[in-house]
Amino acid sequence: MYKEIIEAKEEIYQIRIPKEYLNKKIEISISPVEERKDEILEKSFGILRKRNIDPIKWQEEIRSDRNVW
């Protein structure tokens, strides 16, 4: 199986089919990829580090705030 995740910047893309897939039935599909939680943490870590905030504690606090009614 061959899988690649890209960030689409154009409407038209050319794809290269691996040689081992030639003369075989193959499936080509396109679907959006949900942003993973660890990616969110990676993106926010630099911001949090500058403010001397522990990202794990920060995330726990945010989650606990949502549960308060």
Side-chain angles (χ1 to χ4, degrees):
M1 183 174 125
Y2 176 78
K3 181 178 181 178
E4 182 176 346
I5 297 175
I6 65 166
E7 185 172 340
K9 302 285 186 186
E10 305 286 333
E11 288 185 54
I12 299 172
Y13 281 84
Q14 292 183 2
I15 62 170
R16 185 169 187 267
I17 308 297
K19 288 182 182 180
E20 60 268 18
Y21 290 1
L22 296 179
N23 300 313
K24 296 181 179 181
K25 290 183 179 183
I26 62 171
E27 177 181 352
I28 299 171
S29 64
I30 299 173
S31 62
V33 176
E34 295 294 325
E35 190 167 20
R36 296 185 330 225
K37 291 179 182 178
D38 59 328
E39 289 175 350
I40 294 170
L41 186 60
E42 286 175 15
K43 288 179 181 179
S44 62
F45 184 71
I47 297 166
L48 300 174
R49 183 174 28 186
K50 290 177 186 176
R51 296 183 180 166
N52 200 23
I53 298 172
D54 181 322
I56 304 300
K57 289 181 182 177
W58 173 75
Q59 200 172 48
E60 289 171 351
E61 288 174 9
I62 288 175
R63 289 181 182 154
S64 66
D65 289 347
R66 289 183 184 168
N67 294 329
V68 177
W69 296 94

